[in-house]
Amino acid sequence: MSKAIKNKRPYRWARGMAVVLLGTGLLIGCTPSDQPKPPKPPVITVPETDTTPPLAPQGLSATASIGGIDLKWTANTEADLAGYRVSRSASASGAFTVLTSTLLTAPSYTDTAAPQGVASFYQVVAVDKSGNASAPSKVSAVRPSPVLGRATLKSLDAGPFADRLVFSRIGSLASPPSNGVHDRATLRITNTGSGALQVTGLPITDTWELDPKLTLPLNIAPGAFQDVKLRFTAQAVKVHAGTLTVESNDVAAPRQVIQLAGVWQNQSEGIEEPTLEEIVEGGFGFKTKFAPGSDVNQKGRVTPQGDEVIAPYWQRADAGKPVTVQQLAAYHTQGDVARLRWFTKGSGDSNDVLAQAGIDGQTVLPRKEGTNEPAVTTFSPASTFGFKVDTESSDPTLNDQNADRGSGCADPCGQHVRFFQARDRGGQIMPDTYLLIMDYSGINYDYNDNVYLIGNLKPASILIDVGLGAGEKSADPQGNVWFSDRYRNNYALFTPNTAKNEPDGGPNAGLDILKTNYDALYRTYRGNVGNLTPRAISFNIPLENGPQTLRLHFADLAHATAGKRVFDVVAEGQNVLPNLDIVKDAGGGNTALIKTVNVQVTGGVLNLTLSASVDYPSIAGIEIVR
């Protein structure tokens, strides 16, 4: 459309003027009679601005497929149509992102970049040559996720790390001994995807081979699996490390690496056995620290090393779940069956947990007795408990210590079953998980005789009833068992070891101790060191380094007046209870007093010293809280 714009104002004429109006042919300055009649002024045409948008695209549809989302619509019929613009958003309310940097001329578009598995919302507008855009036509669709195979790998050894297979063997391949060894392991590849899985490669490094060999590619249907069996073929070098790589069309994990580890020995038993470190770190990959150097041999002395925890007794970390056990290794007399048991603290009961097949007396991952299955199990003790491997106990006071002393052990001795915090391959502590290592009394103290990985475990509090007779025990109302501060072999946790049991004549079974329901604990105590000066008694209790919480129990059975007995309590060199007056703090004689102190243990021994300025010191119980 256009409009004619005309000059509405007439020319004015002036006499006596001679003006030539260029471009018109008019002579100005002539008389009207002489002047020719002027022509009509020209008509100037200016285009009108176009503000009318095209119609919105009609018939818009969206078809989703693996390849993307196809948009189609009916072509607009406007003569001045320039094209179409497509935008996408993750929600119906926007914001929308333009997908077409230039206008489309055809009424269709395929969005190959649409996200998978979620809805995409589209707007399509028509644009004319003046830049006018139509109202948007709207549609949405969900691009389906591709149907893919997924390779999920699992070791059938049930080992501690799913992506690591551990092996052992003895001697040559041509003439191996008759021992049971773990020179074969199976990796299961399961297709947990919804499409076909194709395994295209299984490259191996170091001394392993597929047995039986497999023809590639392996095609595994959804939900199906393929077992890959490997054989350890080493004939030299003690510790081996290699890899098996599973190559497949799994787009999320096209190359999955399985660690392979193996220990080899020239012959059964003797000095040919792998060491504890070669088994636990070289074989299984744990980063547990066993000793400041490399020798855990302390001739059975009770003293912590590395990541060791001093814990004669244990409890379940989660009381609603069982304790888990797997035997990682057995390197003892070939043919012997090793039996792991648990027993209730303070009881003579014995409960079988796991027995290893005798033929597997020199191997990693021995089998359970009477089966071809790994030595794996669970058990659910009802209360605080200890462990036994055959006759060797987690409570060193229950073990034969004569061989230890004969080998040069300095008391306390009997530490034949030991516990270390398990550290994973990154060096991180595995929660509530411990390595139980043991050695039969008086052999060689290499602690590789039997190695177990135990989970859902926590150390039980150490409870010491001070002043009881050697090897005696008591039980609190909750059923917790407290042991004497003088072991059954007469070893004393205190110095001087001549400090006598008090009170004289033994505990008064009828004495009422106020402010407690555990009278028996406070009816015995210790602190009288005779004529020695200073009047001090020290307790030296083997304990792992680090922060520890103590609950110290007192009751003055000899005095009822404040100021009659005053002493300091020094823990790890710190005076944690200066000028302690039991009667004053408890509010009277024959009254229980509990003091909680926090200490930092160093040197593998808790040092606790009570030194009196008035009378003798006195302590009835020591509780190391776990």
Side-chain angles (χ1 to χ4, degrees), residues 475-478 482 511-523 551 553-555 557 586 589-594 620 623:
D476 63 24
Q478 290 74 41
W482 295 61
L511 181 63
D512 182 26
I513 307 297
L514 304 178
K515 296 185 180 179
T516 183
N517 61 355
Y518 185 21
D519 294 41
L521 177 65
Y522 300 93
R523 289 174 181 155
R551 283 165 50 91
H553 299 258
F554 308 92
L557 307 190
N590 297 339
T591 304
L593 174 67
I594 301 175
E623 183 178 358

Side-chain angles (χ1 to χ4, degrees), residues 35-81:
Q35 176 66 45
K37 190 174 183 179
K40 293 182 178 180
V43 178
I44 302 171
T45 303
V46 178
E48 186 179 75
T49 302
D50 183 2
T51 60
T52 304
L55 294 175
Q58 301 298 302
L60 178 62
S61 65
T63 304
S65 66
I66 295 297
I69 297 177
D70 292 324
L71 304 177
K72 292 184 179 179
W73 57 92
T74 302
N76 283 42
T77 59
E78 290 86 351
D80 61 345
L81 183 73

Side-chain angles (χ1 to χ4, degrees), residues 45 146 167 174 178 196 245 279 374 451 460 479 533:
T45 303
F167 303 75
S178 60
T245 303
I279 295 166
V451 180
T533 56

Side-chain angles (χ1 to χ4, degrees), residues 153-410:
L153 311 183
K154 178 183 178 182
S155 165
L156 298 190
D157 279 346
F161 305 118
D163 62 346
R164 188 180 182 97
L165 300 177
V166 184
F167 303 75
S168 67
R169 65 175 316 278
I170 303 173
S172 68
L173 292 170
S175 56
S178 60
N179 297 51
V181 293
H182 191 74
D183 63 344
R184 297 171 188 268
T186 301
L187 177 73
R188 176 163 291 176
I189 306 173
T190 302
N191 183 0
T192 55
S194 53
L197 175 69
Q198 187 175 79
V199 177
T200 55
L202 293 168
I204 299 173
T205 65
D206 208 277
T207 51
W208 282 268
E209 64 182 17
L210 296 179
D211 188 9
K213 297 186 183 302
L214 297 171
T215 301
L216 299 176
L218 302 173
N219 295 303
I220 307 174
F225 64 84
Q226 171 69 55
D227 285 344
V228 177
K229 299 183 178 182
L230 293 97
R231 183 188 182 199
F232 182 43
T233 58
Q235 299 185 88
V237 183
K238 257 193 168 183
V239 179
H240 291 257
T243 58
L244 165 68
T245 303
V246 178
E247 300 173 342
S248 72
N249 66 338
D250 182 339
V251 293
R255 289 174 55 85
Q256 297 189 61
V257 178
I258 299 296
Q259 297 178 352
L260 306 177
V263 290
W264 174 85
Q265 61 199 88
N266 185 47
Q267 63 184 32
S268 180
E269 301 186 58
I271 61 173
E272 298 295 330
E273 294 176 354
T275 65
L276 176 67
E277 288 82 359
E278 287 170 340
I279 295 166
V280 174
E281 183 171 357
F284 289 95
F286 292 100
K287 297 301 182 184
T288 295
K289 301 172 185 175
F290 288 106
S294 60
D295 189 2
V296 295
N297 184 351
Q298 296 294 316
K299 310 299 184 185
R301 188 169 190 269
V302 184
T303 180
Q305 300 179 79
D307 290 323
E308 186 170 6
V309 173
I310 299 297
Y313 294 96
W314 296 83
Q315 295 172 338
R316 282 187 275 176
D318 183 339
K321 296 179 180 179
V323 177
T324 62
V325 178
Q326 179 170 25
Q327 187 164 0
L328 299 182
Y331 283 94
H332 51 72
T333 302
Q334 174 63 18
D336 285 357
V337 176
R339 298 185 186 279
L340 179 69
R341 300 181 173 94
W342 70 270
F343 64 95
T344 305
K345 183 181 181 183
S347 170
D349 63 359
S350 180
N351 307 277
D352 284 352
V353 173
L354 186 65
Q356 150 257 316
I359 194 173
D360 290 355
Q362 289 276 295
T363 185
V364 300
L365 296 173
R367 291 165 291 184
K368 189 183 297 185
E369 185 182 32
T371 76
N372 281 319
E373 300 300 316
V376 177
T377 192
T378 63
F379 68 101
S380 299
S383 58
T384 303
F385 64 95
F387 286 96
K388 277 190 174 182
V389 182
D390 292 336
T391 60
E392 304 296 346
S393 172
S394 58
D395 184 342
T397 70
L398 302 179
N399 294 331
D400 181 2
Q401 300 169 13
N402 292 327
D404 301 339
R405 296 191 184 93
S407 297
C409 175

